Amino acid sequence: MNNRVSLISTLSILGLGVVAQANPILYEGFDYSAGALVGENGGTGFSNAWANSGAGGDTVTYPGNTYSSGADNLSVTGGFTTVTNTATAGSFRDFSAITAPDGTTTYWFSLISSTGGVAFGSGGDEASLQIRDSDNTELLSVGAFGSSANWRIRAKSADGGISGFSDGGDAPNSGTSAFIVIQVNINTADSAADDLYFWVNPSLDSTPTIGSATSSITGTNFWDSGDFSIQRIRSGLINSGAAESKTFSFDEFRVGDTFADVAPIPEPSLFALLFAGCIGAVVYVRRKR
């Protein structure tokens, strides 16, 4: 066994495997003081502060959410935000437009989230995170919708004329906190299908396969040239029927070009790398004797 293999083995034993650098387009970890979310202005890639939607009411709460799979831990910061109300309520925030170029493009989204009060009595009620365009039109959402308590995603065309849901039958109940990853494959050619997949609590060690997706929306043309251009996130509750108490909580929101961008694992510290290097050197020297 050569010294390179010995060092890699040592790193593996110590749980210090080298991880690709994450480079999200957007990131919000709610690294704020506990209390009202409105007016907070941190994170990465955003152009303004959080503002109230409807009745507002989002609060930053600690401790923040965590997620692990096997020996891997999702990189997290700060607290999380949550809103509970019987009315339409939540928060929104804008960012510079992310527009799918002509051709085929893939975007990844992730968050840690949970809901409360599901399922709802009205089909128009929801507890969700919505991704909207510059006209404040929803293009993509994730959460609990209507009479289904399970996690689902929803896609809409820019003109609102086409809408589709994933099948919630195989998805877990949204009342339990989960790490959710969404892959959006956009084909801007006229009448070409756009395919969306999502995973609930996927492994962090590699990009998940399409076959392992929790559910999907496939074979539908939602967006042609210039149609997928997102510029706002809106989190919270929609109430369209009788007043029902609902809750939506979310944390660790990311948008990126790759799975690694939205599911980062903390990289080893300089001290840890030096320590591992020293052990690797000792192993090498002993093997040379």
Side-chain angles (χ1 to χ4, degrees):
M1 181 183 294
N2 61 36
N3 63 320
R4 179 176 179 273
V5 175
S6 297
L7 179 56
I8 292 173
S9 299
T10 304
L11 288 168
S12 299
I13 292 170
L14 294 174
L16 300 172
V18 177
V19 179
Q21 179 70 40
N23 189 28
I25 302 169
L26 297 176
Y27 171 62
E28 176 60 276
F30 300 100
D31 194 8
Y32 309 123
S33 298
L37 176 63
V38 64
E40 298 290 3
N41 192 19
T44 299
F46 292 92
S47 57
N48 61 8
W50 283 99
N52 285 332
S53 174
D58 264 291
T59 60
V60 178
T61 304
Y62 282 81
N65 292 285
T66 60
Y67 177 69
S68 301
S69 68
D72 297 322
N73 300 304
L74 183 71
S75 179
V76 299
T77 62
F80 69 97
T81 186
T82 186
V83 60
T84 299
N85 211 310
T86 59
T88 295
S91 301
F92 71 91
R93 195 175 186 192
D94 295 337
F95 48 90
S96 297
I98 301 171
T99 304
D102 287 347
T104 57
T105 306
T106 295
Y107 292 113
W108 292 82
F109 300 79
S110 72
L111 68 157
I112 300 176
S113 185
S114 64
T115 70
V118 292
F120 309 128
S122 171
D125 287 1
E126 62 185 77
S128 66
L129 176 69
Q130 296 185 355
I131 314 296
R132 299 179 174 183
D133 66 13
S134 60
D135 294 325
N136 204 30
T137 300
E138 172 204 346
L139 300 183
L140 172 67
S141 292
V142 56
F145 306 91
S147 61
S148 174
N150 296 345
W151 289 111
R152 290 195 292 170
I153 57 173
R154 176 175 63 202
K156 290 186 176 183
S157 60
D159 63 4
I162 303 173
S163 178
F165 281 99
S166 63
D167 182 1
D170 294 328
N173 188 293
S174 62
T176 301
S177 182
F179 176 54
I180 299 171
V181 176
I182 306 167
Q183 180 184 3
V184 180
N185 298 328
I186 302 160
N187 188 336
T188 64
D190 288 346
S191 301
D194 305 298
D195 297 326
L196 300 85
Y197 304 88
F198 86 104
W199 295 260
V200 178
N201 296 330
S203 173
L204 295 171
D205 61 3
S206 62
T207 301
T209 64
I210 296 301
S212 68
T214 300
S215 194
S216 62
I217 307 171
T218 60
T220 300
N221 173 230
F222 293 106
W223 308 295
D224 292 330
S225 179
D227 286 345
F228 191 89
S229 184
I230 56 176
Q231 202 164 354
R232 172 173 291 182
I233 59 172
R234 189 271 181 190
S235 71
L237 316 169
I238 302 291
N239 192 81
S240 63
E244 294 180 277
S245 180
K246 309 175 186 66
T247 298
F248 184 72
S249 302
F250 92 111
D251 193 5
E252 295 302 321
F253 172 71
R254 292 176 171 91
V255 180
D257 296 315
T258 68
F259 176 72
D261 289 339
V262 302
I265 302 169
E267 296 189 13
S269 67
L270 177 60
F271 175 79
L273 287 173
L274 290 173
F275 179 70
C278 289
I279 292 180
V282 170
V283 172
Y284 173 70
V285 170
R286 287 185 175 180
R287 289 185 178 276
K288 293 289 287 183
R289 288 178 179 176

